[in-house]
Amino acid sequence: MAFPKTRLRRLRATHELRGLVRETRLDAAELVYPMFVAHGLDRREPIEAMPGVDRLSIAHAVAEAGEAAELGIPAVLLFGLPAVKDEEGSGAWDDEGIVQLATRAIKEAHPELIVVTDLCLCEYTSHGHCGVVREDGNVDNDATLELLARTAASQARAGADVIAPSDMMDGRVGFIRGVLDEDGHTDTPILAYSAKFASAFYGPFREAADSAPAFGDRRGYQMDPANGSEAVREARLDVEEGADIVMVKPALPYLDLIRRIKDDTGMPVAAYNVSGEYAMVKAAAAAGYLDERATVLETLTSIRRAGADIVITYHAKDAARWLR
């Protein structure tokens, strides 16, 4: 059956306008650049599993943050590698800890740059789990909340603009919000890792942050990849507890949940394009199987198209350059 002439004209017009009217545009202003800062390091230390990403001294972190800012990236996300680890992860809430020192240095050098601090204990505990471990080997949720809140207050005092709890303990957003408010940080927002899955895509990160569990795994507190409905419920609960932004992590295997959570909560949504996603593209590009630039920009656009307002990605600097 032939199309009516009016329909054909609309099709032609739509085709001609396709290059001018796009639903989703990718911009450096929507990206966050993660960085690993290590105590006692005086150089850049390449991370083998993540080509192009280094562990940084504080001085190098300041320089790296400045480079990101010059490229139009508005925020960095800090992960810390302490000098010493212990059972409770006490380096996390040390006011002279690595993330606190790096935050002060970056804010002093680049006051307009947003510093987001990851809030978890796994990089600081000798056992590599995200909280206090009981004698039976399980994480004590309620005991962990106290330590997380202590860490959040310390990070906020150091000048963190946004606190990002990634531990996945129940009730932690409300508990942290209460302690931040009591400590006078009522205007410090919380970016909650609301739907953080027990994923196979975190392997390179655990090398980078030296945070692999010494025993067991994190399935007891991270989420089942098959349970999308639970992810939506968890995001809704975090909003009710006071989260200002909710996150889905990883990004690419969970694009459907980015959209569901965006539609369900109506809140700003962040998505973490995690280390395994980054490493796969880098490896395929190095082997000549993929065009790195085209693949990265398509990937980040798809995450934005799914509903993410913010994309946390190790590709941020390269993407910002290419977008220019």
Side-chain angles (χ1 to χ4, degrees):
M1 186 177 74
F3 279 11
K5 289 183 179 180
T6 53
R7 173 62 172 154
L8 288 172
R9 286 197 296 270
R10 289 200 300 271
L11 286 171
R12 291 191 193 101
T14 301
H15 179 74
E16 290 167 1
L17 290 171
R18 192 173 294 159
L20 301 176
V21 181
R22 292 185 295 171
E23 183 180 353
T24 302
R25 291 182 182 274
L26 185 64
D27 192 281
E30 299 145 357
L31 306 179
V32 176
Y33 182 51
M35 299 194 304
F36 300 94
V37 189
H39 191 281
L41 200 64
D42 61 359
R43 63 190 186 281
R44 305 176 72 99
E45 186 175 87
I47 299 165
E48 184 177 353
M50 299 175 68
V53 179
D54 303 324
R55 297 185 194 92
L56 304 167
S57 68
I58 290 176
H60 284 97
V62 170
E64 189 89 344
E67 185 178 341
E70 289 174 3
L71 289 167
I73 298 166
V76 295
L77 172 61
L78 299 185
F79 296 94
L81 285 79
V84 178
K85 303 187 180 196
D86 59 33
E87 287 290 307
E88 288 192 324
S90 61
W93 63 83
D94 183 350
D95 285 344
E96 299 301 311
I98 183 60
V99 163
Q100 288 83 345
L101 293 173
T103 298
R104 292 190 196 103
I106 291 170
K107 290 302 294 183
E108 182 177 355
H110 313 292
E112 299 304 314
L113 187 68
I114 297 169
V115 173
V116 185
T117 50
D118 178 81
L119 172 55
C120 194
L121 303 181
C122 62
E123 296 116 282
Y124 303 90
T125 55
S126 52
H127 46 71
H129 279 282
C130 300
V132 177
V133 175
R134 300 193 303 248
E135 289 185 5
D136 63 5
N138 293 313
V139 171
D140 187 326
N141 189 97
D142 292 353
T144 301
L145 296 184
E146 297 279 353
L147 305 184
L148 293 170
R150 192 183 304 178
T151 303
S154 177
Q155 292 177 346
R157 286 193 298 271
D161 298 293
V162 181
I163 305 296
S166 63
D167 56 283
M168 289 301 287
M169 298 297 117
D170 291 336
R172 91 275 205 210
V173 171
F175 200 93
I176 291 165
R177 180 76 271 161
V179 169
L180 286 175
D181 290 352
E182 289 172 8
D183 209 44
H185 302 292
T186 55
D187 295 332
T188 301
I190 293 175
L191 191 172
Y193 287 62
S194 300
K196 181 179 179 180
F197 289 87
S199 173
F201 286 86
Y202 301 150
F205 176 93
R206 289 173 181 168
E207 176 192 326
D210 189 25
S211 63
F215 57 88
D217 56 39
R218 296 178 179 145
R219 295 180 184 276
Y221 42 96
Q222 293 180 358
M223 298 181 61
D224 179 358
N227 198 339
S229 296
E230 183 186 11
V232 177
R233 288 195 300 272
E234 290 286 352
R236 195 182 304 135
L237 285 170
D238 282 353
V239 172
E240 291 171 0
E241 290 180 22
D244 301 280
I245 307 168
V246 293
M247 187 198 292
V248 177
K249 179 182 180 182
L252 287 177
Y254 301 95
L255 294 177
D256 59 320
L257 290 172
I258 294 172
R259 171 50 57 193
R260 286 178 64 184
I261 288 170
K262 180 67 176 178
D263 290 345
D264 186 272
T265 66
M267 294 291 290
V269 174
Y272 202 141
N273 179 219
V274 299
S275 61
E277 298 170 66
Y278 172 87
M280 287 193 305
V281 172
K282 282 290 188 180
Y289 301 148
L290 292 175
D291 178 310
E292 182 175 356
R293 172 177 173 159
T295 302
V296 168
L297 294 180
E298 182 179 346
T299 294
L300 299 181
T301 298
S302 74
I303 297 168
R304 285 275 294 118
R305 188 188 66 241
D309 303 284
I310 299 164
V311 182
I312 301 167
T313 178
Y314 303 97
H315 295 293
K317 289 197 306 175
D318 284 338
R321 291 189 190 99
W322 293 329
L323 288 167
R324 283 186 168 183

